[in-house]
Amino acid sequence: MSRRIMLIPVGTSVGLTTVSMGLVRALEEQAIKINFFKPLAQPRRGDNGEERSTTIISHHCSVKPIKPFELGYVEQMISSDNTDELLEEIIERFEQHQQSDAVTVIEGLVTTRHHPYAERLNLEISRALDADIVFVCVPGNENPVDINHRLEIVVDTYGGHKSKKVVGCIFNKVNAPLDEHGRLRADIGAIDAPEHDEERCEALRSLPIFSKGLAFLGSVDWNADLVSPRAIDVAKHLDAQLINEGDIASRRLSSVTFCAREIHNMTHALKPGALLVLSGDRSDVFVSCCLAALNGTKLGALLLTGGYSIDENIQKLCNQAMETGLPVMSVNTNTWQTAQGLHAFNQEVPVDDSLRIEKVMVHTAESLDASWVTSLTEKVSRQKKLSPSAFRFYLTNRARQVNKRIVLPEGNEPRTVVAAAICAKRGLARPVLLGEEAEIQRVAAQQGVSLSEGVEILSPSAIRGQYVEGLVALRGHKGVTDVVANELLQDNVTLGTMMLQHDDVDGLVSGAVNTTANTIRPALQLIKTAENASLVSSVFFMLLPDQVLVYGDCAINPDPNAQQLADIAIQSATSAEMFGIEPRVAMISYSTGDSGAGSDVEKVREATKIAQSLRPDLLIDGPLQYDAAAIESVGRSKAPNSPVAGKANVFVFPDLNTGNTTYKAVQRSFDLVCIGPMLQGMRKPVNDLSRGALVDDIVFTIALTAIQAAGA
């Protein structure tokens, strides 16, 4: 049975694309079949490529949207009085591509002075496709009476309160910054919006219209982080010349300051994410900005106006600051003209800004009414494959539920500090940063984050003495005395491991600076393996575009024997189950079934038999070649009777060389998000990070560590 939801804007600039993205993501997290259809392309100013909503969802979700009709063709049909024929073509295209057992999100048109026919066409399309209606409204600074009046009018347009097709309303951009006329501020870094206003949200929920049958389906707060463009987006908009490229593709701009004052009057503007606009001949200001960058402040970018060139000697003086990644660009326009250009900047998310798109999707999805989203999935087919978004949703949702205390020994490492702030803000864990508070707060300020009460900072020197006796008790047989123990505890990873051993924390995450050996060695010595585990192994969660695969062991055991390989398979299957994946385990080899011989194949064959005998309830098969395990057509050909071939989602590699090479080849070749390695078989959860880990990698590793702690 299919469900069709059409999003109808109430007014202009309601952020319809944002809500579409969020609803698709929320449904994706339910692991169901989804369609997306924007019947008519409606390009915005500056859009030259494919329709924006369709492109974003096709690239960033496991959905293949239905292609929209071009606006020129639509307007030609309307002007020729062929609207009925147009509607027939829309229905035909929809029916050709829609899945009968899926939920379809349909995005309506926004009424503008260039598209006055949009409201009438939305009504006709919703009727033609027999879609339920959900309104999207921006409350602005209107009082509740006026908002209610607007909604009553639009509800009447779509059949009134008695219509079963009129479902509810989603409020977007709640608490957004407004100008003096009550309009949404469109300029970059306009102002910081105040914190979530629960009183305003409650006023919206209490509108009289919601007592008449219309449902309140969500309130999406405006969030400054979600409208921060990249420096490269501004450079393209202004057609700026790059003097120093730096990190222009990744640095975010959260504020704009025009530097026309003396240095001592503008030091407050030298902050993370700031776009500093200055005349190209103001060498004093330029040097001051470079000094701030050298001091660790991650400025957004410098924009030089007037077409002036930087003095050669000044540029040499500031070369080291440039090497920190500070983007510097130049325009020929004067300061006033540049300000006008910045004011006209299109704040909509670019289709290639993956990081921002992901954040927008997650934020919007989390703001929708969960019970309504779940109700849409009733009698709709579930996907057999767990999508990456559904996996991430499981991680974050489950981590919130278990609410574990996770120690981060690398407490003053910048990415770790930002990740801790995010985890505390989203309620994923109670992070504990080991380090001196002044240093950690300085790093946080440089990274542009504030550490809430949910982030705990512990000075190692203040707590080290508590664990000397315990360390001696654990390692005394190896010659560890009080003096040696105190010396070993100078290492924060060892200190954090002792905190975990004493149950003062629930898990440990390290490795952004430390090597894998430095992270794991204290755990093996002090935490040890679980009672039912013969070894410690690892898995990676590989987030492919349409599903999540589990790879084990790619980080710990160089050449496991058959018994150990069987244990790794069982541990990996158990980990998959812990994270919502129904395991189908493939024991990987260079040969499938009985087609090959040799000691390596025999090891995998024996390991498969051992694993099957130990856990007959699991789907485990091998030996299987990778293509036979992963590709259905190959699996049918090479192993037609296998319950796993072509459908495997847990891949167990015969040795570390094969596993590590495969995971890195897949990750790098397809630019995949890869979470791990997650250690298995420990009494308590300890997890390692890649030294090249991104902030999001650390956040997800903290979340999965919390879940492990709850399942241990």
Side-chain angles (χ1 to χ4, degrees):
M1 178 182 175
S2 64
R3 296 288 300 272
R4 303 168 186 181
I5 306 296
M6 188 164 179
L7 299 175
I8 302 293
V10 182
T12 60
S13 301
V14 299
L16 200 59
T17 296
T18 296
V19 176
S20 294
M21 291 158 55
L23 180 54
V24 168
R25 173 51 56 84
L27 291 167
E28 207 178 18
E29 289 166 349
Q30 301 293 318
I32 61 170
K33 292 183 179 180
I34 312 163
N35 289 332
F36 177 79
F37 187 30
K38 185 171 177 68
L40 315 177
Q42 191 175 20
R44 280 83 157 179
R45 180 185 61 199
D47 284 354
N48 298 314
E50 298 176 354
E51 195 279 321
R52 182 181 293 264
S53 299
T54 303
T55 303
I56 288 175
I57 287 172
S58 65
H59 290 173
H60 299 277
C61 300
S62 55
V63 178
K64 294 182 179 178
I66 303 170
K67 184 179 179 181
F69 287 87
E70 295 296 328
L71 188 62
Y73 175 75
V74 171
E75 292 182 337
Q76 178 187 340
M77 294 290 283
I78 293 173
S79 63
S80 303
D81 199 24
N82 289 325
T83 302
D84 288 341
E85 184 179 338
L86 172 65
L87 291 171
E88 290 173 12
E89 292 183 17
I90 290 172
I91 295 170
E92 181 182 11
R93 182 171 292 186
F94 176 77
E95 295 295 344
Q96 284 176 347
H97 295 90
Q98 72 119 3
Q99 302 176 75
S100 59
D101 53 352
V103 175
T104 301
V105 177
I106 304 166
E107 183 179 313
L109 284 167
V110 178
T111 302
T112 70
R113 61 189 180 91
H114 298 295
H115 311 125
Y117 50 80
E119 187 171 354
R120 176 173 59 87
L121 209 52
N122 281 338
L123 177 60
E124 292 175 343
I125 290 172
S126 68
R127 289 172 175 170
L129 297 180
D130 192 29
D132 292 339
I133 302 300
V134 171
F135 301 111
V136 180
C137 178
V138 171
N141 64 349
E142 285 185 291
N143 62 54
V145 173
D146 290 338
I147 296 171
N148 194 77
H149 181 62
R150 273 207 294 153
L151 288 177
E152 288 283 7
I153 293 172
V154 74
V155 166
D156 285 343
T157 302
Y158 285 85
H161 291 287
K162 293 183 179 180
S163 172
K164 294 181 179 179
K165 290 296 180 183
V166 177
V167 175
C169 179
I170 297 169
F171 290 102
N172 193 23
K173 302 181 183 179
V174 178
N175 213 30
L178 306 172
D179 64 17
E180 61 273 19
H181 302 294
R183 297 185 295 251
L184 181 68
R185 292 281 294 270
D187 42 325
I188 301 172
I191 52 173
D192 291 331
E195 292 296 320
H196 171 76
D197 188 346
E198 184 57 37
E199 187 175 330
R200 176 67 162 164
C201 288
E202 187 55 40
L204 294 175
R205 287 192 194 94
S206 303
L207 292 177
I209 196 168
F210 293 128
S211 64
K212 299 179 181 180
L214 193 72
F216 179 92
L217 301 179
S219 174
V220 185
D221 274 349
W222 185 87
N223 187 314
D225 291 339
L226 304 184
V227 294
S228 297
R230 300 167 298 185
I232 194 171
D233 300 322
V234 172
K236 289 178 179 177
H237 170 70
L238 297 175
D239 194 23
Q241 175 189 355
L242 298 185
I243 294 174
N244 187 59
E245 183 174 344
D247 301 329
I248 196 168
S250 58
R251 292 224 177 172
R252 300 275 167 184
L253 307 178
S254 56
S255 65
V256 179
T257 298
F258 289 85
C259 304
R261 290 161 285 177
E262 292 293 329
I263 299 299
H264 63 274
N265 287 324
M266 54 159 283
T267 52
H268 66 280
L270 303 179
K271 58 185 180 181
L275 173 64
L276 301 167
V277 186
L278 58 144
S279 179
D281 60 352
R282 286 293 301 272
S283 297
D284 56 336
V285 179
F286 183 79
V287 171
S288 299
C289 294
C290 289
L291 181 61
L294 280 173
N295 196 39
T297 301
K298 200 171 183 179
L299 301 174
L302 303 186
L303 175 58
L304 311 181
T305 65
Y308 296 106
S309 299
I310 302 174
D311 180 83
E312 185 177 344
N313 292 324
I314 295 294
Q315 191 159 351
K316 286 181 180 178
L317 179 66
C318 297
N319 272 344
Q320 196 172 354
M322 305 282 198
E323 291 171 0
T324 65
L326 175 65
V328 181
M329 49 187 137
S330 174
V331 291
N332 292 323
T333 52
N334 62 34
T335 301
W336 169 253
Q337 293 165 329
T338 304
Q340 293 294 98
L342 288 171
H343 187 74
F345 177 74
N346 186 349
Q347 287 276 41
E348 291 181 318
V349 59
V351 296
D352 64 341
D353 192 347
S354 300
L355 182 61
R356 186 172 160 197
I357 286 170
E358 180 64 25
K359 288 183 176 180
V360 169
M361 282 184 164
V362 171
H363 175 73
T364 308
E366 291 178 346
S367 303
L368 301 179
D369 183 81
S371 60
W372 171 63
V373 173
T374 302
S375 73
L376 298 178
T377 69
E378 295 173 2
K379 299 181 182 179
V380 174
S381 294
R382 295 272 169 184
Q383 297 275 34
K384 291 184 179 179
K385 297 176 180 178
L386 184 67
S387 69
S389 58
F391 179 73
R392 286 191 292 262
F393 171 76
Y394 179 90
L395 276 183
T396 55
N397 191 49
R398 180 72 179 128
R400 286 192 193 96
Q401 293 173 359
V402 299
N403 190 31
K404 295 297 182 179
R405 192 169 182 242
I406 307 299
V407 65
L408 307 171
E410 300 158 328
N412 60 0
E413 196 281 320
R415 292 163 295 167
T416 302
V417 172
V418 176
I422 292 171
C423 286
K425 183 177 181 180
R426 297 178 62 188
L428 304 182
R430 290 173 286 146
V432 179
L433 295 171
L434 291 185
E436 300 307 321
E437 182 164 4
E439 171 66 9
I440 291 173
Q441 293 290 1
R442 184 187 68 80
V443 171
Q446 288 179 341
Q447 297 301 310
V449 299
S450 58
L451 299 179
S452 66
E453 293 181 359
V455 178
E456 187 177 353
I457 300 174
L458 291 180
S459 170
S461 59
I463 63 171
R464 195 173 289 128
Q466 302 172 25
Y467 300 100
V468 171
E469 184 179 344
L471 183 53
V472 171
L474 288 169
R475 302 292 291 171
H477 66 288
K478 292 291 185 179
V480 173
T481 63
D482 286 4
V483 174
V484 174
N486 191 66
E487 184 64 28
L488 290 172
L489 289 168
Q490 299 295 320
D491 171 41
N492 280 359
V493 177
T494 302
L495 178 58
T497 305
M498 283 301 298
M499 293 174 68
L500 180 58
Q501 165 63 22
H502 282 232
D503 292 327
D504 292 332
V505 293
D506 301 302
L508 179 147
V509 174
S510 181
V513 176
N514 286 279
T515 65
T516 297
N518 287 344
T519 297
I520 295 174
R521 188 186 303 110
L524 292 175
Q525 294 173 344
L526 305 174
I527 302 295
K528 312 232 168 143
T529 57
E531 291 181 4
N532 59 349
S534 63
L535 80 170
V536 173
S537 66
S538 71
V539 289
F540 283 92
F541 295 94
M542 310 293 292
L543 276 58
L544 274 64
D546 63 341
Q547 65 175 320
V548 177
L549 301 181
V550 178
Y551 281 9
D553 171 14
C554 305
I556 304 296
N557 297 284
D559 188 18
N561 59 36
Q563 179 64 59
Q564 291 171 328
L565 196 59
D567 289 344
I568 291 169
I570 293 170
Q571 287 180 349
S572 300
T574 302
S575 292
E577 288 178 317
M578 185 184 296
F579 292 92
I581 300 170
E582 185 178 337
R584 296 183 293 277
V585 184
M587 308 293 282
I588 300 301
S589 176
Y590 61 76
S591 173
T592 294
D594 299 323
S595 64
S599 59
D600 291 339
V601 181
E602 288 303 322
K603 179 179 79 170
V604 175
R605 187 174 288 120
E606 183 183 352
T608 303
K609 291 178 181 177
I610 295 171
Q612 289 170 337
S613 66
L614 290 174
R615 288 292 303 273
D617 57 310
L618 292 174
L619 288 178
I620 304 175
D621 198 15
L624 290 169
Q625 292 164 288
Y626 191 99
D627 58 348
I631 301 171
E632 194 166 351
S633 59
V634 179
R636 283 197 303 268
S637 172
K638 291 188 173 184
N641 299 318
S642 171
V644 171
K647 298 175 285 188
N649 53 18
V650 179
F651 294 73
V652 178
F653 296 99
D655 52 58
L656 186 57
N657 182 49
T658 306
N660 193 270
T661 301
T662 302
Y663 110 76
K664 285 187 175 175
V666 173
Q667 179 191 27
R668 299 303 179 187
S669 296
F670 299 100
D671 194 25
L672 301 178
V673 174
C674 175
I675 301 176
M678 185 187 86
L679 300 189
Q680 310 171 129
M682 299 290 298
R683 283 198 307 112
K684 297 174 183 179
V686 173
N687 284 311
D688 181 40
L689 298 164
S690 163
R691 276 168 283 174
L694 302 175
V695 169
D696 280 351
D697 298 332
I698 302 174
V699 169
F700 285 123
T701 302
I702 292 171
L704 69 83
T705 304
I707 297 169
Q708 270 187 298

